[in-house]
Amino acid sequence: MSWKTWFGTWGVKQAKERAAAEKASRSTSQATIIEEIKNDDTHPAPGTTPDTGGVAIIHSHHLNQGTSFSARARDELHLKGLVPPAQESIQRQEDRVRAYLNTLSSPLEKHVYLGRLRAEDTALFYRVVVDHLTEITPLIYTPVVGEACQKFSLIYTPGTVEGLFLSIADKDNLDEILSNWPYHAPDICVMTDGSRILGLGDLGLNGMGIPIGKLSLYVAAAGFDPSKTLPVTLDMGTDTEKYLNDPLYLGTRRKRPADEEFYAFVDAVMAAFKRKWPKLLVQFEDFSSEHAFGCLERYRNQYLTFNDDIQGTGAVILAGFINAINLSRTPLPNHRVLFFGAGSAGVGVASQLKEHFIRAGGMSEDAARDAFWLVDSKGLVTFDRGDKLPQHKTLFARRDNEGKQYKSLKEVLEYVRPTALIGLSSQGGAFGEEAVRAMKEFNERPIVFPLSNPATNAECTFEQAMNWTDGKVIFASGTAFPAYEYEGKTVEPGQGNNMYIFPGLGLGAILAKAEHVSDDMVYQTAATLAEALDEEERSHELLYPHLTRIREVSALVAKDVVKAALREGNCDQEDVLKLFGAVSRQPFHDDAVLSDPERNEALLAFVKKRMWDPHYAEDEEVLVGELKHKASL
Ligand SMILES: NC(=O)c1ccc[n+]([C@@H]2O[C@H](COP(=O)([O-])OP(=O)(O)OC[C@H]3O[C@@H](n4cnc5c(N)ncnc54)[C@H](O)[C@@H]3O)[C@@H](O)[C@H]2O)c1
Ligand SMILES: O=C(O)C[C@H](O)C(=O)O
Ligand SMILES: [Mg+2]
């Protein structure tokens, strides 16, 4: 053996021994710490550990009041010296948050800062969101949440618990893991498996940003109690090599499971939820298409659940479409709708629109279906294209193409001559000038909805659509585009994003104590949202209400969801039953009573009363007493 080889071997041996010794000492000391914690039955004096005394209040994001603690609270809760002396209103604290946001240059930094605020002072965070929806929503939700997901493993900061990670390897220990959840029994859960996050693909565990972002809107837009929201990411691996090879990736390093293993795990999760929190509403979010449809069919009658990308998107686009039809002046049955993208969202929206063509257009099922053409990555979806279609595409596959296949968007456009072009393909820029100009050639007022998210995936921009249609386009996108000045007039684009639906749908379902989320409840959300435009919004030809009105709109949506549940015997809310003279879980069809204005107003008031409004407790007596109790002082 040469000295070099000998030295190398010796070095490796030494390093191995060192590592083994370190590991042993680490595990011994960890084991010791765990034992010490377990056996510690002493009760530390208030304030002597960070988990007791007044400081526990500062560390509790639901109790923290930032710099708003009164002099008395500071005194009695042992907070003096721990917070700066200035005693400020929540509004002044909001000013500071926004002033600080203005100093940050990148949207991701703003997202991270706001996330920290949510984790440390919940009331202040939501006050800022609710008071500045247009400014803050894009930072905590689409589009910035897209980048935050892509970098989730990088920006993750330990020390905050914002959601549950459920790993497939823990399939048999789910009850134990759920019992670790430290907050109240949740009302609402948004759950993803990270396999199709916005139009960004399979992000694995990094998808956690989406449930957190969606639930922030449940709170801000529909007044859910933040301590009763549950973000969940199912960690089942990822097929994205980049993450599997990223040393910082926080998820399980394995490829995604085949269907059998996938469904066995999701079955186990749903059953565990039901055991632990029987009334929980579970919103499925950003699952890859086939699993999105598969889970919806599998669970919709057994559990209280819906799929946001299929049903929420379907409803929000139907609402915008109802208003677009009025602006287009083309009667409903004459519309021909081309979908670019035939995944969960494309088929979900087509299904919802088809339902409307039947209900409001008086069309037969077949005639309604014939008003839709779907395009996927292989071209127009037809039965004789030669590939095996997944079940959801067969719902709208064409038979009338006479053996001819249409591949490019240009070919399909010429063949179909649609009145509406809807993009749900995640292919940024796919609606080029030629395609959009063709839409203007076919129609006086073409409907063009590039709905893919985030903004970089939108099939075209608002500015492009305006310029290429001589300002005639009826437009909505998934991510908000800025208003555009066209021929001296400022025109506002629509934002067709399911955030106008899911918060109100969820609230209605919970308040009705519904057993399931039915098709009627979903359809009703679209009808209500379409109706929710006020005079001023109508006069500006808007398709959706201003974002600043979203709480008011969610309340209206929730109210009508409760009524839809009542109609089909899916309601068990005592106050509501009493108000309408209905019987629990019995269908109620008295239209005169259901449309009675006084009862509707009372129902709306009932809904609004249950919406959490972000604030610090005002009654000092109650506040100090309650906080003392919570901090065991
Ligand atoms: N605005 C909203 O509220 C909203 C709601 C849900 C989804 N979305 C967006 O819609 C997009 C699609 O979501 P999904 O769940 O349906 O995804 P998906 O992956 O299931 O579907 C994408 C579809 O696009 C098709 N496609 C891909 N490349 C194409 C190409 N070059 N030409 C034509 N078609 C092509 C695919 O074949 C597939 O049918 C995403 O970007 C998502 O963010 C928006
Ligand atoms: O998350 C969004 O902004 C909308 C939608 O659910 C999506 O998947 O794109
Ligand atoms: Mg989604």
Side-chain angles (χ1 to χ4, degrees):
M1 192 188 285
S2 76
W3 73 269
K4 265 191 183 166
T5 322
W6 178 86
F7 192 75
T9 319
W10 179 81
V12 169
K13 196 166 160 243
Q14 290 284 303
K16 274 189 182 160
E17 279 172 13
R18 229 177 12 250
E22 256 175 37
K23 192 173 167 203
S25 90
R26 216 172 32 235
S27 56
T28 320
S29 55
Q30 277 196 15
T32 315
I33 290 168
I34 292 169
E35 273 317 298
E36 269 173 17
I37 293 171
K38 271 190 176 161
N39 296 331
D40 182 11
D41 56 0
T42 60
H43 297 287
T48 55
T49 84
D51 293 325
T52 60
V55 77
I57 291 165
I58 297 176
H59 286 177
S60 161
H61 58 293
H62 291 302
L63 302 178
N64 196 5
Q65 306 218 333
T67 50
S68 292
F69 288 111
S70 66
R72 180 175 159 207
R74 288 165 193 236
D75 237 14
E76 294 192 26
L77 300 171
H78 305 281
L79 292 171
K80 267 197 160 161
L82 304 185
V83 282
Q87 192 192 319
E88 299 176 313
S89 65
I90 195 164
Q91 283 75 21
R92 175 59 55 82
Q93 296 196 67
E94 278 184 69
D95 295 344
R96 176 173 299 104
V97 171
R98 291 180 61 235
Y100 182 62
L101 278 176
N102 280 337
T103 69
L104 300 175
S105 47
S106 89
L108 185 64
E109 281 173 307
K110 296 181 190 202
H111 177 93
V112 170
Y113 168 65
L114 287 166
R116 237 183 53 216
L117 184 63
R118 181 180 46 229
E120 290 172 3
D121 188 340
T122 308
L124 177 57
F125 168 79
Y126 281 109
R127 195 69 260 158
V128 174
V129 180
V130 169
D131 291 345
H132 307 281
L133 279 158
T134 318
E135 173 190 336
I136 306 290
T137 304
L139 296 172
I140 59 168
Y141 182 65
T142 306
V144 182
V145 72
E147 188 186 355
C149 284
Q150 287 171 309
K151 297 182 180 156
F152 184 85
S153 289
L154 178 70
I155 62 180
Y156 173 77
T157 34
T160 59
V161 177
E162 287 221 276
L164 271 181
F165 301 98
L166 300 178
S167 291
I168 195 161
D170 287 320
K171 176 172 153 283
D172 299 327
N173 306 322
L174 290 168
D175 290 336
E176 199 184 320
I177 296 173
L178 298 195
S179 70
N180 289 341
W181 183 243
Y183 309 121
H184 293 130
D187 289 330
I188 176 80
C189 161
V190 176
M191 177 163 84
T192 189
D193 71 345
S195 56
R196 191 288 274 148
I197 293 296
L198 306 176
L200 303 169
D202 177 356
L203 305 191
L205 172 134
N206 292 331
M208 181 55 120
I210 287 288
I212 293 173
K214 294 257 170 191
L215 284 162
S216 294
L217 289 196
Y218 265 103
V219 176
F224 273 74
D225 176 344
S227 67
K228 295 185 179 174
T229 62
L230 176 68
V232 170
T233 291
L234 301 181
D235 167 40
M236 297 200 234
T238 173
D239 290 339
T240 303
E241 287 294 330
K242 187 174 93 183
Y243 293 126
L244 291 175
N245 297 327
D246 175 359
L248 297 184
Y249 179 61
L250 290 165
T252 301
R253 283 162 208 276
R254 58 161 282 177
K255 293 272 188 189
R256 287 192 177 272
D259 278 2
E260 198 180 327
E261 203 185 345
F262 170 91
Y263 283 114
F265 182 50
V266 186
D267 284 354
V269 169
M270 293 301 281
F273 281 160
K274 185 85 180 178
R275 282 192 295 275
K276 174 87 179 150
W277 300 302
K279 294 183 178 145
L280 181 68
L281 168 56
V282 182
Q283 168 175 323
F284 278 68
E285 190 68 49
D286 290 6
F287 281 70
S288 58
S289 273
E290 284 183 45
H291 287 155
F293 283 104
C295 289
L296 181 58
E297 283 321 306
R298 202 173 174 99
Y299 304 124
R300 63 179 306 170
N301 295 322
Q302 201 184 345
Y303 299 108
L304 184 63
T305 184
F306 70 97
N307 182 293
D308 182 42
D309 298 291
I310 300 171
Q311 297 168 290
T313 314
V316 79
I317 302 311
L318 171 56
F321 194 77
I322 291 172
N323 290 327
I325 292 172
N326 291 336
L327 297 177
S328 76
R329 299 216 183 87
T330 301
L332 174 60
N334 295 359
H335 276 276
R336 302 160 65 79
V337 189
L338 178 60
F339 283 86
F340 192 72
S344 57
V347 173
V349 175
S351 304
Q352 207 62 239
L353 259 57
K354 187 190 86 178
E355 187 61 28
H356 183 67
F357 279 43
I358 296 169
R359 292 192 194 204
M363 294 162 80
S364 68
E365 169 95 26
D366 286 348
R369 190 188 310 108
D370 273 354
F372 300 96
W373 287 260
L374 265 55
V375 171
D376 64 10
S377 55
K378 300 193 183 89
L380 184 67
V381 180
T382 62
F383 278 108
D384 59 0
R385 198 168 66 170
D387 57 331
K388 187 169 166 5
L389 297 178
Q391 212 264 332
H392 63 273
K393 290 188 191 174
T394 63
L395 300 177
F396 293 96
R398 304 294 303 197
R399 293 184 193 281
D400 55 355
N401 51 315
E402 297 174 344
K404 194 163 178 324
Q405 306 306 327
Y406 301 85
K407 297 280 177 209
S408 70
L409 177 59
K410 182 174 188 278
E411 283 177 304
V412 182
L413 278 169
E414 276 163 11
Y415 171 60
V416 177
R417 297 179 71 84
T419 56
L421 174 61
I422 297 187
L424 286 160
S425 66
S426 305
Q427 303 299 307
F431 296 169
E433 180 165 357
E434 198 181 6
V436 177
R437 283 202 186 279
M439 287 300 292
K440 171 68 182 66
E441 218 177 277
F442 306 146
N443 307 282
E444 178 54 31
R445 303 278 327 256
I447 298 171
V448 180
F449 286 3
L451 297 170
S452 292
N453 291 319
T456 42
N457 283 348
E459 286 78 3
C460 67
T461 66
F462 181 45
E463 183 176 335
Q464 290 169 331
M466 286 292 285
N467 288 336
W468 295 337
T469 60
D470 309 324
K472 295 288 187 197
V473 72
I474 302 170
F475 182 95
S477 56
T479 310
F481 279 110
Y484 183 58
E485 179 118 352
Y486 188 81
E487 292 185 345
K489 213 174 123 196
T490 304
V491 190
E492 276 181 70
Q495 188 181 8
N497 188 296
N498 46 33
M499 68 181 165
Y500 279 109
I501 297 292
F502 63 78
L505 175 58
L507 182 62
I510 294 288
L511 290 181
K513 299 191 176 170
E515 279 184 332
H516 57 272
V517 178
S518 68
D519 285 341
D520 267 355
M521 288 158 82
V522 176
Y523 182 81
Q524 184 57 55
T525 62
T528 303
L529 176 59
E531 278 288 306
L533 291 176
D534 65 21
E535 287 286 302
E536 189 259 345
E537 289 159 346
R538 275 188 204 283
S539 72
H540 286 92
E541 298 198 339
L542 298 192
L543 301 182
Y544 296 99
H546 283 124
L547 191 56
T548 46
R549 292 181 55 226
I550 199 164
R551 273 175 91 85
E552 185 191 332
V553 170
S554 297
L556 290 170
V557 169
K559 168 185 82 86
D560 287 350
V561 166
V562 173
K563 279 167 58 183
L566 205 55
R567 258 189 217 105
E568 57 192 10
N570 191 12
C571 177
D572 186 30
Q573 175 65 257
E574 221 174 281
D575 295 347
V576 173
L577 296 169
K578 231 187 263 164
L579 180 65
F580 288 90
V583 178
S584 171
R585 309 241 179 263
Q586 297 286 319
F588 182 79
H589 291 302
D590 191 332
D591 282 335
V593 174
L594 282 168
S595 55
D596 169 45
E598 266 179 40
R599 286 193 176 85
N600 274 272
E601 237 166 71
L603 180 55
L604 187 60
F606 168 85
V607 170
K608 286 185 174 167
K609 212 168 153 197
R610 273 146 193 83
M611 288 169 69
W612 181 80
D613 187 48
H615 62 277
Y616 293 143
E618 269 153 24
D619 183 331
E620 189 162 80
E621 201 61 44
V622 177
L623 167 76
V624 175
E626 203 176 293
L627 292 187
K628 266 183 164 179
H629 171 71
K630 285 193 174 140
S632 356
L633 282 170

